[in-house]
């Protein structure tokens, strides 16, 4: 299906001829994200300003044409795949940091800024923006806001939603609004800012973002604790929190994942341990040693057989290299990879970890388990072959079981990856038909014709 | 106007005869909040459970009768005054803390729990719930969630919205939904939790609240810095933040307020200084001294003529007593009190403070100024006489000017008190007609008949 020539002409008049892509090879580049899902758009637009975004939406809304906003397409929920065709609106040309207000501890940027560049810019000013999804070298700030992205540092610092304080948003019908303010305290009107964060482009297209910042911690200390059993590692997590220490990160990596990593890149991870915890504390130089000692003591009390302490920034980087290599490593083990992120209350982590390992065996699936363990956020990485229907049926039953387990433990379907396409049919499991109906009412109120990222968030979404 | 007997009979069948108040002297007790606004309800219901709340809403929705949820009525925006009559739904009987999950760092409670009692319960477990509005000894947890309340500790710890992670909510049409989960990380579906926080009972009635908790800081240190000029005090605030110190509180109190306080209760506040800063840092015993020294050094560099350091918990309490006495003190100076909370980006605080002082003089009004200065949250306290029309006209022009100034500086109408009734007509100043229209659409989607707290949040709200 192709868009009518008249619509394409109108789009070109807004974004310029160089801002409109319709060649097959171009469309292919915007047909995927970090899931196995693929679907071609009919056109790609590359607007340069909020006004252009709004005009594109107005044209699309008149023509009842879907619009799928896209950053760098790194999301793990199918959120940026244009499953209903239509227009992909890529924010790559809206990539300026507009202001770093060091005195106000805020920064304002366009959505297409790459997250790592944003981190660097604020850190050069002695400031800190904590959200750190693994994709941060590629992902855009706008994408992480639309997804509500998290990351390892979420344990201590929370996720994207804890930092966004104001947005400029283009609405489905082509108007622009501003939400929030350049103040951390703000209860004026409804909190549209938070309604938009994590809404995956289904309620509006984010055209400008203001976040609050923290002072950059002046010290950190990192170690790798090695455990013979994954149960002991999970218990160590509970013990650390029980001592009222909130580390920056408590990353759990299981044996399957470690074997994949070592097969991909030699990082020195133990090959005979069931799990490791990559643990880091940060803060002031006065406070970090105390936190670190408490954390290590808790790990040893829970049976850590070895604790490798990073004595230098190089050694710290080496430990993190192993963790960061995980996605690439598990991705090459089999043709396809499905990563889930069912999240449970902290005390339920040991039970959840056992359930995942047991179910993987029962369904005869190759599953590596990583977890942002300190906040109960598990990442089972299911290595599979999307072309093998029988295997994918097992993958589906496995993930369904994991979701049911997480919900029965008081958890959530997704801690930081989003519902998107892949988990949309499970939404009523968590919120019931009534809860989903409320979300649908809000969707209908803001996007009456259902042009914004159709097929996402809601089960059997016709809009 | 009185409700029909049939409606009263149906309400009594839900909440019991002892849970339905209709006597004039009872209705009077539910006709006010902490603003000068008064309006009698037609009935008061005291439900004991979420199911009873939902049934009350169902009856009211059938009868097109307004329902105004109410905690302890301490809010400062007219939010809980039943200006359209109808039913006041008071949560005083839903006052149980349901769970403190120390391992998960969360707690779950009914809305009618008194905030100070909630603080005490979690602190006994070594945990910490930061939101601390001045009304905390009277205010309910549910009220503070519905209002998105803040407080002095907001500077370091944020406000209520930064802690609520899950809600149970009764909707206008009488169904109950759950939002969020018992996990800090959660991006499943739209963030209804944050949409409800601060919505002042206009979108649903909160029947259960789950918040995240922090480890209780093990040390704190407090001082009072005295400044000859209010400008110097405001500059000290900027200087402290500029040194990348985020104190727990930076409370500014001006000369007018100090004179009221000393006239009410001898607390030793200087009577010849233009302003003081009540400054406190907290954290670990290892880290507090460094923060404290930096903070005090910044204050001295900016011209603090004296810094009184609290050497004991008793001396700390004495310093805070002065701050906490302020509301009572200014309330008795004149028959009425109007407290605003226009909030500006931190660097704009000195300009905002000057503008408030200058406008107060120009309009010949007695205005005490306090501010949660570290986050730009000003509290001009206008001492006036609500029965004096001419004076109230000046109060109105004064507040309008303050709002315009705050918005022109990139701030917000209200940092922590809410729009409610008193600021509803200014909402379009901040968000434009388009922004307000989006909020109205959401209101309509969740409360189609407009029974929930009508007259609040929106200008000329018929619903």
């Amino acid at each position: 299906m192709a868009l009518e020539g008249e619509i394409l002409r109108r789009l070109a008049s807004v974004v310029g001829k160089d801002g409109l892509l319709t060649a097959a090879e171009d469309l292919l580049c915007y047909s995927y994200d970090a899931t196995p899902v693929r679907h071609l758009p009919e056109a790609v637009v590359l607007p340069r300003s909020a006004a252009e975004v709004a005009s594109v939406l107005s044209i699309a809304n008149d023509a009842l044409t879907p619009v799928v906003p896209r950053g760098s397409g790194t999301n793990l929920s199918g959120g940026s795949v244009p499953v209903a065709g239509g227009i992909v609106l890529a924010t790559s040309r809206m990539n300026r940091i507009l202001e770093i207000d060091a005195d106000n501890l805020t920064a304002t940027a366009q959505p297409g800024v790459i997250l790592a560049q944003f981190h660097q810019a604020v850190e050069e000013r002695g400031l800190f923006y904590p959200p750190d999804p693994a994709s941060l070298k590629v992902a855009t700030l706008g994408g992480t806001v639309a997804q509500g992205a998290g990351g390892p540092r979420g344990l201590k610092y929370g996720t994207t939603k804890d930092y966004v304080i104001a947005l400029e948003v283009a609405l489905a019908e082509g108007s622009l609004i501003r939400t929030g303010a350049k103040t951390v305290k703000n209860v004026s009107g409804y909190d549209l800012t938070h309604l938009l964060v994590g809404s995956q482009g289904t309620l509006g297209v984010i055209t400008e973002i203001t976040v609050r910042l923290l002072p950059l911690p002046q010290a950190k200390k990192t170690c790798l604790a090695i455990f013979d059993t994954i149960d002991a590692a999970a218990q160590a997590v509970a013990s650390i929190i029980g001592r009222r220490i909130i580390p920056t990160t408590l990353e759990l990596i299981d044996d399957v994942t470690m074997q994949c990593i070592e097969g991909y890149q030699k990082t020195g991870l133990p090959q005979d341990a069931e799990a490791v915890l990559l643990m880091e504390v940060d803060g002031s130089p006065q406070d970090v040693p105390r936190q670190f000692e408490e954390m290590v003591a808790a790990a040893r009390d829970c049976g850590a057989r070895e604790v490798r302490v990073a004595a230098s920034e190089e050694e710290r980087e080496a430990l993190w290299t192993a963790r960061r290599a995980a996605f690439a490593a598990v991705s090459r083990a089999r043709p396809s990879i499905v990563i889930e992120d069912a999240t449970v209350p902290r005390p339920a982590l040991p039970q959840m970890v056992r359930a995942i390992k047991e179910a993987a065996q029962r369904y005869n699936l190759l599953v590596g388990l990583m977890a942002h363990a300190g906040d109960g956020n598990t990442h089972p990485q299911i290595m599979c072959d999307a072309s093998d229907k029988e295997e994918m049926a097992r993958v589906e039953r496995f993930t369904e079981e994991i979701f049911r387990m997480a919900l029965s433990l008081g958890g959530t379907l997704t801690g930081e990856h989003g519902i998107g396409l892949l988990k949309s049919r499970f939404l009523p499991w968590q919120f019931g038909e009534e809860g989903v109906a409320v979300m649908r009412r809000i969707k209908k109120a803001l996007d009456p014709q259902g042009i914004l990222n159709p097929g996402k968030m809601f089960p059997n979404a016709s809009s």
Side-chain angles (χ1 to χ4, degrees), chain A residues 431-461:
Chain A
F431 296 110
E433 294 298 340
E434 286 284 356
V436 175
V438 171
M439 295 182 194
R440 280 193 199 272
R441 287 189 197 187
I442 290 170
K443 166 71 174 172
K444 188 90 183 168
L446 269 72
D447 178 21
Q449 303 206 104
I451 65 156
L452 288 170
N453 207 359
K456 309 300 168 63
M457 194 69 84
F458 297 104
N460 305 315

Side-chain angles (χ1 to χ4, degrees), chain A residues 343-386:
Chain A
T343 304
V344 295
R346 290 179 177 95
L349 183 75
Q351 188 178 348
M352 188 69 187
V353 163
R354 276 194 297 274
I356 291 169
K357 301 290 277 186
E358 184 276 322
Q361 273 205 318
R362 187 157 30 84
Y363 287 108
N364 190 28
L365 290 169
L366 182 62
V367 176
L369 179 61
M370 295 210 297
H372 305 310
D375 45 23
N377 186 188
T378 67
H379 286 324
Q381 310 157 107
I382 312 154
M383 295 164 257
C384 52
D385 181 350

Side-chain angles (χ1 to χ4, degrees), chain A residues 225-239 250-258 272-277 299 302-305 346 348-358 360-361 367-373 377-381:
Chain A
I226 301 169
F227 295 86
D228 285 329
T229 69
I230 196 166
D231 242 31
Q235 291 299 344
V237 171
S239 172
L250 280 180
E251 296 291 295
L252 182 143
I253 310 175
D254 82 339
D255 46 3
V256 174
T257 309
M258 285 193 280
D272 62 341
E274 260 189 26
V276 296
L277 284 176
C302 292
R305 73 177 197 212
R346 290 179 177 95
L349 183 75
Q351 188 178 348
M352 188 69 187
V353 163
R354 276 194 297 274
I356 291 169
K357 301 290 277 186
E358 184 276 322
Q361 273 205 318
V367 176
L369 179 61
M370 295 210 297
H372 305 310
N377 186 188
T378 67
H379 286 324
Q381 310 157 107

Side-chain angles (χ1 to χ4, degrees), chain A residues 117-169:
Chain A
Q117 291 171 6
F118 186 73
H119 279 166
Q120 193 187 342
V122 303
E123 287 174 18
E124 281 169 2
R125 304 287 297 275
L127 299 169
F128 183 43
Y129 178 68
D132 61 341
S135 56
L136 61 87
K137 288 187 179 167
V138 182
T140 62
L141 182 64
T144 60
V145 172
Q147 298 287 336
R153 296 193 295 225
L155 168 56
K156 178 168 178 177
Y157 291 106
T159 66
T160 302
K161 68 168 180 280
D162 299 306
Y163 293 88
V164 181
I165 58 171
L167 295 171
E168 181 189 56
V169 184

Side-chain angles (χ1 to χ4, degrees), chain A residues 12 20 30 43 49 79 93 106 115 128 132 147 154 157 161 186 243 331-332 365 409 417 420 425 429 434 455:
Chain A
L20 176 67
Y30 294 86
S49 69
R93 289 180 171 182
T106 59
L115 184 57
F128 183 43
D132 61 341
Q147 298 287 336
Y157 291 106
K161 68 168 180 280
N186 187 4
R243 290 178 185 223
S331 295
R332 67 194 272 282
L365 290 169
L409 293 169
H417 294 173
R425 71 190 177 88
W429 292 10
E434 286 284 356

Side-chain angles (χ1 to χ4, degrees), chain A residues 56-80:
Chain A
V56 167
L57 290 184
S58 176
I59 293 166
N61 196 54
D62 284 353
L64 297 178
T65 299
V67 176
V68 182
R70 180 189 180 87
S72 296
T74 54
N75 88 80
L76 291 159
S77 69
S80 46

